[in-house]
Amino acid sequence: KATATKSKSSNKQQGSVYVPKPVPDILKTAKSQLSMVVLGHVDAGKSTMMGQVLVQAGYISKREAGKKPMSWILDENEQERERGVTMEIGTKTVRVPKHDIVLLDAPGHADFVPIMITGAANADVAILVVAANTGEFEAGFDGGGQTKEHILLARGLGVTQILVAINKLDMEDWSKQRYDEIQAKVKSYLLQQQFAPKRIRFLPLSGLTGENVKSRNDSKLSAWYKGPTLLDAMNDFLPAKRQLEKPFRFGITDVYAEGKGVVARGRVMQGFVEAGERLVVLPIGDVVTVNKLEHLQPPTTDDNDKNAFKRLSIGMAGDTVELVLSGIELVRLSVGSILSNPNARPPLTKKAKAKVFILDSVTIPIIRGARVMFHMQSLDIPATVSKLIALTKGGGEVIKERPRALSRNSSAIVEITLNDKIAMEQFSSCRALGRFVLRRSGDTIAVGVIDELL
Ligand code: GDP
């Protein structure tokens, strides 16, 4: 018996058995929350479009917006970044009837790719903005543009629903022919990358004039387009699977001391939590108690429901919350730590088999033994690409076993060995702890998902 216990040491220290908590009714009926990343080539019109969404959905007054170019509304974060202020990803929520959509910022400039990836790594769904005007679409799609890379990134990180906004169609006099041409090209590429046909949607747009954001006023467009507006299409996203019945997991993105408590800010990855519960901090193993919980992006609740307050006292999968903890000192907690149900912990692992996609910007191929930084959630751990197992197609079909090197724009199965053990899981069991990014000398070189813990 002694040996059996020993060999299973790390994950079962508590000796207690995990009993799933019944999911409260208020969570079963809770409004869907989606995190959305906006992708697309630089200048495709991402900021303009999202600024327009915020205005037309009533979050900013037109007067307020009118004072500055539309794109500034979202670029304020960018200026903060330049001043060295920590950027907070996901600070804006757009409420549509079916979902609370949290916008993850995704600047298109090449040097912002790492930030974009951090955003995309938490995304449930994506909007890809492409500029329809002559020359610009072609530059963004073919000539070294970022459109394809962003599609591959989204795919590599496990985003399955994608809405393609064919923007700046006002510059093409709302030409159906141009719209069809672009749609055909982008669609064929998305299908090639194994996006499911049902999860790909297209719509014509002008972020600048606001046409087809919430309504259509231009008869040239209404003459041939009868589909949803952008806000309707956002409403039509499918809800993300929230895994409420699975054990609680929380990724810490910020920690600070407040009064007598320690505050951990972050996102609930799966399950749900309430004040009074005990959690384990991973990888260190300390046990803490949640004294208080506060929502940073309060979910929409039904004012007529007298139990609605209950929803606000619970942090469920998808929610961004602050947890006030006792039983631990601030120095013991760090960004990247995971809080978990103590009786059903994610395994602490050093070695894993993973599917990776090598980015287009990689000029030096990746060989066996390559030293990289492994970035998962908010953690950075030095690691080695310890085996090149196979070169694959985007969907996973093996093209070649044991390749000598991985060059840009290729997909592969590799073994990765980390310098330290961290909490991770198979992507199929926990999306948030199953997707990662690899960096080399500060550059992002690959994105991937964990297939198997070794
Ligand atoms: P981003 O880099 O993708 O965020 O692009 P921006 O939102 O900053 O837009 C880039 C430029 O394209 C700006 O000068 C915008 O005014 C212009 N623009 C954006 N959307 C449209 C549109 O729908 N129609 C036209 N004509 N111009 C647009």
Side-chain angles (χ1 to χ4, degrees), residues 41-48 71 167-168 170-171 206-208:
H41 189 65
V42 62
D43 284 346
K46 298 176 292 296
S47 325
T48 307
S71 60
N167 189 36
K168 305 197 186 181
D170 55 311
M171 294 174 79
S206 170
L208 192 65

Side-chain angles (χ1 to χ4, degrees), residues 297-422:
Q297 278 137 357
T300 299
T301 49
D302 179 357
D303 290 339
N304 301 319
D305 182 349
K306 61 183 186 332
N307 291 320
F309 71 93
K310 177 81 178 144
R311 168 73 184 95
L312 297 175
S313 72
I314 303 177
M316 67 178 249
D319 290 350
T320 304
V321 292
E322 280 189 345
L323 303 175
V324 183
L325 306 172
S326 63
I328 194 160
E329 282 173 50
L330 183 62
V331 292
R332 299 280 295 159
L333 278 180
S334 45
V335 171
S337 299
I338 304 297
L339 298 177
S340 159
N341 179 306
N343 303 323
R345 308 167 177 211
L348 297 179
T349 312
K350 243 182 142 163
K351 201 186 263 190
K353 198 167 114 179
K355 278 198 198 83
V356 292
F357 166 72
I358 316 300
L359 302 194
D360 183 50
S361 50
V362 174
T363 47
I364 307 165
I366 298 167
I367 54 170
R368 190 165 74 116
R371 305 284 304 148
V372 293
M373 285 301 275
F374 180 92
H375 177 92
M376 178 177 274
Q377 291 294 314
S378 307
L379 267 189
D380 276 307
I381 307 280
T384 306
V385 180
S386 42
K387 276 185 195 161
L388 306 184
I389 300 171
L391 212 54
T392 63
K393 290 189 188 165
E397 253 170 277
V398 173
I399 302 172
K400 185 172 186 241
E401 309 245 10
R402 273 179 273 160
R404 290 178 58 88
L406 307 177
S407 43
R408 64 196 205 186
N409 280 324
S410 60
S411 298
I413 300 170
V414 299
E415 179 193 270
I416 295 172
T417 307
L418 310 189
N419 283 14
D420 294 300
K421 286 187 174 178
I422 62 162

Side-chain angles (χ1 to χ4, degrees), residues 167-202:
N167 189 36
K168 305 197 186 181
L169 211 59
D170 55 311
M171 294 174 79
E172 294 290 312
D173 207 20
W174 298 105
S175 155
K176 178 175 190 305
Q177 199 186 342
R178 179 66 171 162
Y179 176 81
D180 289 343
E181 177 196 347
I182 292 173
Q183 169 166 343
K185 283 193 180 148
V186 177
K187 191 172 200 168
S188 119
Y189 191 70
L190 286 168
L191 292 174
Q192 210 178 309
Q193 298 310 323
Q194 322 280 325
F195 275 91
K198 275 190 200 156
R199 304 282 179 270
I200 309 171
R201 294 176 298 147
F202 290 84

